[in-house]
Amino acid sequence: MPLPVAYVNGRIYTMEAEGDTCTAFVVQDGKFTYCGNDDEARKLAGEVVDLNGATVIPGMIDTHQHLFAYASSLTKLNLKPAKSMRQLKQMLQEYAKNIPAGEWILGVGFDNEKFEDSNAMPTRQDLDEVCADHPVILSRYCLHFFSVNSMGLEKGGVDKNYRPAVEGTVEFGPDGEPTGVMCDSAAADILAKIPNKLASFDAKKDAVEEACRQLNMHGLTGVHAIQGRHCDLMEYTDVYQSLKDEGRLSARVYLSYDELPNCCIRTGLGDDMLKFGFYKLYVDGNMGGRTAFMKEPYSDDPTTTGVANYTQQELTDRVRAGYERGMQVGAHVIGDRAAEMLTTAIETVYHENPRPDPRFRMIHMSILNPDIVERISKLPVIVDIQPMFISTNVKWADSRVGFGERGRYLFAWKKLLDAGIIMTAGSDNPCESYDPMESVYALVNRKNLDCYPEGGWHPDERIGVYDALSMYTRNAAYASFEEDSKGTIRAGKLADFVVLDADIFGIDTMKIKDIKVEKTYLGGNLVYSRS
């Protein structure tokens, strides 16, 4: 057994309770064995590490990522820097020069709502102007909307006679021809036909290992990796298992799928490094593309209320199917009507057969209303939010929902907190930045990374630093039924911890986004060092 190591002279926030601190802890065999003062820690240790007054927090857990999609995105054209349609075209044109004619080009990360010249989605004509001799498909940062050029549409079998499985997922022009703009399952049909650069098992493993190392750089020691097959956001259990067996997995993974397993397994199967997580449903689309399912029409497009992927009965049946198999059930909901549907489904299946501690996951919950908040406060649910939606949505979301009562319930996180609802934070990576410090900054200040707007966006929804950081630590562990083994710094728990370069509780809140991780430890082992 390795000798116990004492870490002393630190400013250690245990996250056991607000303001709870210690100066030292001891780590042995991957766990904390003592938390308290320097003198006692030194007595118990075979080795001593001086933290030199540095701030230490528990290892952070991102409760919503499409991890393999992020790993895959590292091999594609990154369009996040594009600030205009013109720049997007230039980047595509330049990238295509190094790709053999006829070979697919995949791009990711653009946000047309931020474009300076036009906030319209790129059409096939836009892409054809600069890249007509390659099939092209570009994913908007949200991973729900896509732009495809003419050759891509042809290879994907999408023409004026094409009828998508889900109505409204392909845009057709006045001439009846597809414009090249599509979403979700329709785009997934095309993506499924594209040769995969990560087709081999070893290539998949290498990509996921690198992705986890990137997460460690930002203090993440855990991640809930979630499949979205209908958006071609795949995950592969065998990849994670193999990495774990080879000692190459540097983050603990709670792996979830949007399909029920074809064998009799339940939530929690696995070990401290890799567990089977929850059954994921997708109730509606997203707000950016006006496919989130709303009770009332969009304020900036009264012709639509969005799209639901299920009827109420279909959704209830799917929630029941997972619940009755002893699985945790989670669902993507953006619009208030979709939130009502999911609330009804959970109420129905839970009250007809109450089971102890099911911890349903309600994911995003972007637009709510007082009735929804009241109803879910009485249910065994967790709300998984994405704080960085503030950064990407701040300049246009109000236009979707208006500035009346509905607007007051846009990302209403303080209202949820005040109602006693447990919340966790995730990034939806690769849609958004996965740096937890940027998310805590957004939660506390209600501003984007450019510090806009000056007074904060719906500032009455700001929350404190402790509650914000809890979403990445103690609450995140609770979401995966692991609150007894991680999420706080306490004797007996896994020794996952992070050393920061500034005091997150003592610094000006506007500077939280600039905090850097100095070191990340997983089970007492160093998995990232800035120096």
Side-chain angles (χ1 to χ4, degrees):
M1 181 178 291
L3 292 173
V5 180
Y7 293 80
V8 302
N9 188 25
R11 185 185 293 109
I12 301 165
Y13 292 97
T14 70
M15 296 302 293
E16 283 282 296
E18 187 167 8
D20 188 62
T21 61
C22 61
T23 62
F25 52 71
V26 177
V27 174
Q28 186 174 24
D29 198 25
K31 293 185 177 182
F32 298 113
T33 57
Y34 169 80
C35 299
N37 62 68
D38 292 358
D39 291 342
E40 190 65 26
R42 290 178 188 275
K43 293 177 185 177
L44 297 170
E47 178 185 347
V48 177
V49 175
D50 191 339
L51 293 167
N52 296 308
T55 295
V56 178
I57 61 173
M60 292 177 283
I61 304 160
D62 187 316
T63 58
H64 188 101
Q65 287 203 21
H66 305 289
L67 188 52
F68 184 77
Y70 168 60
S72 179
S73 75
L74 300 176
T75 69
K76 299 173 183 177
L77 170 60
N78 178 14
L79 292 167
K80 284 187 177 181
K83 296 181 180 179
S84 65
M85 182 80 76
R86 179 179 59 82
Q87 188 176 8
L88 180 145
K89 291 180 181 179
Q90 289 174 341
M91 293 174 69
L92 175 59
Q93 187 174 40
E94 192 64 27
Y95 184 83
K97 291 178 181 178
N98 300 312
I99 306 296
E103 187 172 311
W104 275 96
I105 292 178
L106 287 78
V108 296
F110 75 91
D111 183 0
N112 54 294
E113 292 287 350
K114 292 183 177 179
F115 286 176
E116 298 166 352
D117 47 4
S118 169
N119 62 8
M121 283 284 292
T123 65
R124 62 184 174 91
Q125 289 89 352
D126 291 319
L127 304 184
D128 289 347
E129 286 178 18
V130 295
C131 195
D133 55 355
H134 297 79
V136 176
I137 182 165
L138 308 180
S139 167
R140 188 174 182 269
Y141 81 92
C142 64
L143 300 180
H144 287 277
F145 273 79
F146 299 77
S147 294
V148 189
N149 73 348
S150 294
M151 186 178 290
L153 291 171
E154 181 181 352
K155 286 186 174 290
V158 178
D159 57 22
K160 64 182 179 181
N161 298 314
Y162 179 80
R163 293 295 173 264
V166 179
E167 186 178 353
T169 54
V170 174
E171 180 181 278
F172 293 93
D175 59 358
E177 296 287 347
T179 66
V181 177
M182 58 181 59
C183 65
D184 294 337
S185 60
D189 288 343
I190 293 180
L191 290 166
K193 299 175 183 178
I194 300 174
N196 188 352
K197 291 183 179 180
L198 300 180
S200 76
F201 189 61
D202 285 341
K204 286 184 175 69
K205 288 200 301 181
D206 290 345
V208 170
E209 180 181 25
E210 174 58 25
C212 288
R213 293 294 180 184
Q214 295 289 327
L215 303 187
N216 298 152
M217 292 173 62
H218 295 281
L220 290 166
T221 57
V223 59
H224 294 194
I226 302 168
Q227 176 172 283
R229 178 181 289 273
H230 83 295
C231 297
D232 197 47
L233 303 173
M234 304 302 293
E235 297 291 351
Y236 301 94
T237 303
D238 53 352
V239 167
Y240 294 99
Q241 284 182 310
S242 184
L243 288 173
K244 180 183 78 73
D245 293 343
E246 295 169 13
R248 295 167 59 189
L249 195 59
S250 63
R252 305 184 194 279
V253 178
Y254 191 65
L255 192 57
S256 301
Y257 289 92
D258 59 340
E259 54 192 348
L260 287 170
N262 58 7
C263 56
C264 298
I265 61 175
R266 300 189 304 274
T267 292
L269 177 69
D271 57 23
D272 288 334
M273 283 303 300
L274 180 63
K275 285 187 179 180
F276 184 79
F278 62 91
Y279 171 42
K280 171 74 179 289
L281 297 165
Y282 291 80
V283 182
D284 62 347
N286 71 15
M287 202 188 320
R290 300 181 186 84
T291 53
F293 193 36
M294 311 286 276
K295 291 187 68 176
E296 302 293 337
Y298 281 82
S299 297
D300 57 357
D301 185 357
T303 67
T304 183
T305 56
V307 179
N309 293 326
Y310 310 108
T311 65
Q312 180 65 66
Q313 188 61 55
E314 289 170 340
L315 177 60
T316 300
D317 288 345
R318 287 174 184 258
V319 171
R320 182 184 292 110
Y323 178 72
E324 292 298 332
R325 287 183 54 172
M327 298 185 67
Q328 188 179 35
V329 179
H332 160 120
V333 286
I334 299 286
D336 53 355
R337 182 68 186 98
E340 287 185 341
M341 290 176 65
L342 179 59
T343 302
T344 296
I346 292 173
E347 286 172 337
T348 300
V349 303
Y350 179 65
H351 290 311
E352 70 188 14
N353 182 19
R355 294 189 172 194
D357 205 17
R359 304 188 193 184
F360 294 96
R361 306 276 289 266
M362 305 181 85
I363 301 164
H364 308 312
M365 299 289 277
S366 299
I367 303 293
L368 304 175
N369 59 48
D371 180 61
I372 296 171
V373 175
E374 172 67 18
R375 289 167 66 189
I376 66 175
S377 70
K378 300 174 182 176
L379 293 170
V381 302
I382 298 162
V383 175
D384 298 330
I385 67 168
Q386 287 63 51
M388 290 307 290
F389 280 5
I390 284 183
S391 186
T392 51
N393 293 191
V394 64
K395 292 191 175 181
W396 54 262
D398 283 319
S399 66
R400 297 287 194 273
V401 301
F403 295 89
E405 179 68 9
R406 183 164 66 168
R408 290 184 58 245
Y409 281 81
L410 179 63
F411 304 128
W413 300 327
K414 183 64 161 57
K415 292 182 178 66
L416 292 173
L417 188 67
D418 289 345
I421 295 164
I422 295 173
M423 288 185 288
T424 75
S427 61
D428 212 0
N429 179 37
C431 301
E432 306 281 0
S433 165
Y434 56 82
D435 184 346
M437 294 299 107
E438 293 180 351
S439 288
V440 172
Y441 158 88
L443 286 162
V444 172
N445 296 294
R446 297 287 292 197
K447 296 183 179 184
N448 69 10
L449 296 178
D450 296 324
C451 305
Y452 172 89
E454 184 175 347
W457 187 41
H458 299 282
D460 54 326
E461 293 299 329
R462 289 180 295 203
I463 67 173
V465 176
Y466 175 76
D467 288 320
L469 190 58
S470 290
M471 295 183 193
Y472 276 102
T473 53
R474 55 184 297 129
N475 293 4
Y478 178 85
S480 57
F481 302 89
E482 296 174 292
E483 67 270 23
D484 291 333
S485 63
K486 60 184 183 182
T488 65
I489 295 174
R490 189 182 75 197
K493 288 194 173 185
L494 295 165
D496 300 345
F497 60 98
V498 178
V499 181
L500 303 177
D501 72 348
D503 182 354
I504 188 171
F505 289 96
I507 199 172
D508 181 338
T509 60
M510 291 297 292
K511 296 180 179 179
I512 290 175
K513 62 183 174 62
D514 302 317
I515 293 176
K516 302 300 181 186
V517 169
E518 293 289 350
K519 297 180 187 295
T520 302
Y521 292 83
L522 181 76
N525 295 315
L526 183 68
V527 291
Y528 168 72
S529 177
R530 190 179 175 195
S531 57

